[in-house]
């Protein structure tokens, strides 16, 4: 895991340092975009949520802007619907779990030759709102966690792109320690 975080930071910093002279905030440097992603998450639950289902299908919407060449800032909201787990020891016993997240990510990208492909690295913070109910007894936790990701994007044209990312998100609460996620989605740049 430390290697993934280190590699994501290196890609982000490389893209940032490669164009340090472009940090002027002129109109030509700022390119806002909107996007939507499908996210598959694999959760590491613990405590009384240990037997909860570990896979979540969720969606995310995001708004971002290019702040310098090859560097973006992005706000996102992620919604993972409720998962019900019927315990094998007693079918009437069940665990319900869900989470939502919102936060800010910084993306660095490196073009791969002239192909339209870009290598991506991201670092960010997110506020996770976790709700777990075990036989009606529930606990809600809210926690700020960190995220690091690696992936690639493909630019179909100057306005439309496709992005795929693998991401590790550390939440650090007993009921949800971390998430391993794969995201895929489209971006429209204005």
């Amino acid at each position: 895991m430390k290697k993934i975080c280190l590699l994501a930071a290196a890609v982000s910093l490389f893209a940032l340092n490669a164009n340090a002279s472009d940090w002027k905030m002129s109109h030509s440097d700022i390119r806002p975009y909107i996007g939507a992603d499908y996210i598959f998450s694999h959760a590491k639950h613990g405590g009384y949520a240990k037997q909860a289902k570990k896979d979540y299908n969720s969606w995310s919407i995001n708004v971002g802007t290019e702040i310098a060449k090859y560097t973006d800032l992005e706000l996102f909201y992620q919604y993972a619907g409720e998962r019900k787990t019927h315990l094998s020891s007693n079918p009437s016993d069940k665990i319900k779990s869900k989470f939502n997240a919102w936060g800010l990510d910084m993306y660095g990208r490196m073009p791969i030759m002239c192909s339209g492909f870009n290598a991506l690295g991201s670092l960010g913070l997110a506020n996770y709102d976790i709700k777990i109910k075990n036989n009606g007894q529930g606990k809600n936790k809210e926690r700020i966690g960190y995220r690091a990701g690696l992936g690639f994007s493909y630019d179909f044209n100057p306005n439309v792109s496709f992005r795929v990312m693998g991401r590790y998100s550390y939440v650090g609460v007993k009921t949800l320690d971390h998430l391993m996620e794969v995201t895929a989605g489209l971006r429209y740049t204005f």
Side-chain angles (χ1 to χ4, degrees):
M1 181 52 232
K2 290 179 184 178
K3 291 177 185 175
I4 291 172
C5 291
L6 184 61
L7 188 55
V11 169
S12 297
L13 288 175
F14 179 77
L16 185 65
N17 289 334
N19 293 293
S21 64
D22 286 343
W23 272 96
K24 63 185 182 302
M25 294 300 250
S26 69
H27 178 69
S28 63
D29 290 334
I30 298 175
R31 296 190 62 209
Y33 63 86
I34 59 172
D37 290 319
Y38 163 77
I39 304 171
F40 176 79
S41 303
H42 181 78
K44 172 131 193 299
H45 292 295
Y48 68 93
K50 190 171 188 154
Q51 294 178 325
K53 288 188 178 174
K54 301 193 180 324
D55 57 324
Y56 293 87
N57 294 302
S58 58
W59 56 267
S60 173
I61 55 173
N62 46 65
V63 176
T65 186
E66 182 177 298
I67 59 170
K69 195 170 183 181
Y70 307 129
T71 307
D72 299 341
L73 278 180
E74 181 177 291
L75 291 168
F76 72 91
Y77 174 76
Q78 178 180 353
Y79 176 78
E82 184 175 83
R83 297 286 288 156
K84 293 180 184 175
T85 307
H86 295 278
L87 303 176
S88 59
S89 58
N90 186 356
S92 64
D93 291 346
K94 60 185 167 197
I95 298 173
K96 294 179 183 178
S97 60
K98 71 177 182 175
F99 72 91
N100 300 321
W102 59 271
L104 179 69
D105 288 328
M106 184 170 117
Y107 285 86
R109 65 182 181 277
M110 276 190 316
I112 301 172
M113 302 194 314
C114 297
S115 63
F117 282 97
N118 299 291
L120 298 174
S122 72
L123 293 172
L125 293 173
N127 183 59
Y128 290 90
D129 183 17
I130 306 139
K131 294 179 171 55
I132 308 273
K133 287 185 181 177
N134 191 341
N135 292 323
Q137 302 291 324
K139 286 191 181 178
N140 296 345
K141 291 277 187 183
E142 198 165 331
R143 175 82 181 235
I144 294 180
Y146 68 84
R147 303 156 41 103
L150 292 172
F152 73 90
S153 67
Y154 180 75
D155 301 328
F156 294 109
N157 60 44
N159 298 92
V160 179
S161 64
F162 175 73
R163 179 170 81 184
V164 174
M165 296 283 295
R167 181 175 290 120
Y168 175 83
S169 300
Y170 177 76
V171 182
V173 295
K174 192 171 188 176
T175 54
L176 180 60
D177 183 60
H178 66 268
L179 297 163
M180 298 293 287
E181 298 178 317
V182 176
T183 72
L186 293 172
R187 305 282 170 281
Y188 181 80
T189 303
F190 297 96

